[in-house]
């Protein structure tokens, strides 16, 4: 009986290997959707993106350069890593941010003031790539301003109108939450 079971197992494994063609792991699979990776950092609980993200050397999601806090953001296309290039519009979603703050979802949240940050209006992902990084840049004096002591500066950032592929509407925006106290410790 053992010999028969081993023979059947061996035959099944051999048939399984024959069924897989060379390079099957690299074929196009899944849906090709465009989204902001920062919208996924809360694990599906919300689209919040905490800045700073952590304490360790490799968990920083920002850099300080030229008198600005540069928060790293990424547009990504799921699916195959190869594909045609595309671009998306990038927009600060002020009305949505105000509503989110009013909901009380984040204690001590305040709107990141207009004129104290910059965002690109468009981000392009080159052909053959599936992502491109960009920055939400915040003026350092804003972080140091005593008006924001123990506050969390917030801004919802959205992407729209991909020139190719479909937008993942659930992950097309991220709510940036800058913990001013923690950020000051890093400056």
């Amino acid at each position: 009986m053992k010999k028969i079971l081993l023979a059947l197992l061996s035959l099944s494994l051999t048939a399984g290997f024959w069924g897989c063609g060379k390079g099957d792991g690299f074929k196009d699979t899944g849906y090709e959707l465009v989204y902001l990776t920062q919208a996924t950092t809360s694990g599906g609980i919300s689209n919040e993106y905490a800045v700073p993200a952590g304490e360790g050397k490799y968990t920083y999601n920002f850099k300080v350069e030229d008198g600005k806090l540069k928060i790293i953001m990424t547009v990504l296309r799921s699916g195959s890593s190869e594909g045609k290039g595309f671009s998306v519009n990038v927009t600060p979603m002020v009305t949505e941010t105000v509503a989110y703050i009013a909901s009380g979802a984040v204690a001590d949240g305040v709107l990141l003031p207009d004129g104290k940050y910059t965002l690109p209006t468009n981000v392009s992902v080159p052909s053959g790539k599936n992502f491109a990084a960009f920055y939400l840049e915040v003026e350092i004096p804003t972080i140091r301003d005593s008006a924001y002591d123990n506050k969390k500066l917030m801004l919802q950032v959205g992407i729209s109108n991909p020139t190719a592929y479909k937008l993942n509407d659930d992950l097309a925006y991220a709510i940036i939450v800058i913990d001013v106290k923690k950020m000051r410790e890093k400056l």
Side-chain angles (χ1 to χ4, degrees):
M1 185 67 170
K2 280 186 178 182
K3 288 183 181 183
I4 294 173
L5 287 174
L6 285 174
L8 287 174
L9 179 62
S10 177
L11 183 60
S12 296
L13 289 174
T14 303
F17 286 122
W18 282 335
C20 293
K22 184 177 181 181
D24 280 350
F26 295 98
K27 288 185 177 178
D28 289 342
T29 59
Y31 297 105
E32 293 180 316
L33 300 174
V34 176
Y35 64 97
L36 279 173
T37 58
Q38 288 67 30
T40 66
T41 61
S42 69
I45 297 169
S46 69
N47 288 44
E48 291 179 14
Y49 182 51
V51 179
E55 301 300 322
K57 179 179 175 183
Y58 300 107
T59 58
Y60 288 166
N61 53 353
F62 66 90
K63 64 182 179 177
V64 178
E65 190 175 85
D66 301 324
K68 295 180 182 176
L69 168 66
K70 294 184 173 187
I71 299 166
I72 301 164
M73 302 191 72
T74 310
V75 172
L76 180 78
R77 177 188 41 80
S78 62
S80 170
S81 62
E82 306 236 348
K84 60 185 170 185
F86 66 96
S87 64
V88 295
N89 295 337
V90 179
T91 310
M93 302 171 72
V94 175
T95 303
E96 293 83 348
T97 307
V98 170
Y100 194 73
I101 291 168
S103 77
V106 176
D108 300 316
V110 296
L111 179 65
L112 180 60
D114 189 33
K116 302 296 182 181
Y117 65 87
T118 56
L119 266 175
T121 57
N122 189 281
V123 174
S124 295
V125 177
S127 185
K129 301 286 183 185
N130 66 337
F131 73 94
F134 66 99
Y135 298 101
L136 165 62
E137 297 181 0
V138 181
E139 303 291 330
I140 293 294
T142 304
I143 304 297
R144 292 191 172 131
D145 189 332
S146 63
Y148 304 116
D149 288 350
N150 299 310
K151 300 289 182 189
K152 293 181 177 73
L153 291 168
M154 299 175 61
L155 182 66
Q156 185 167 319
V157 175
I159 58 171
S160 61
N161 302 321
T163 57
Y165 308 106
K166 185 176 186 237
L167 189 66
N168 181 333
D169 293 323
D170 293 334
L171 302 175
Y173 68 92
I175 305 161
I176 312 306
V177 181
I178 305 167
D179 187 319
V180 172
K181 183 178 179 183
K182 287 181 182 178
M183 197 69 248
R184 286 177 184 168
E185 295 169 3
K186 310 255 182 240
L187 296 177

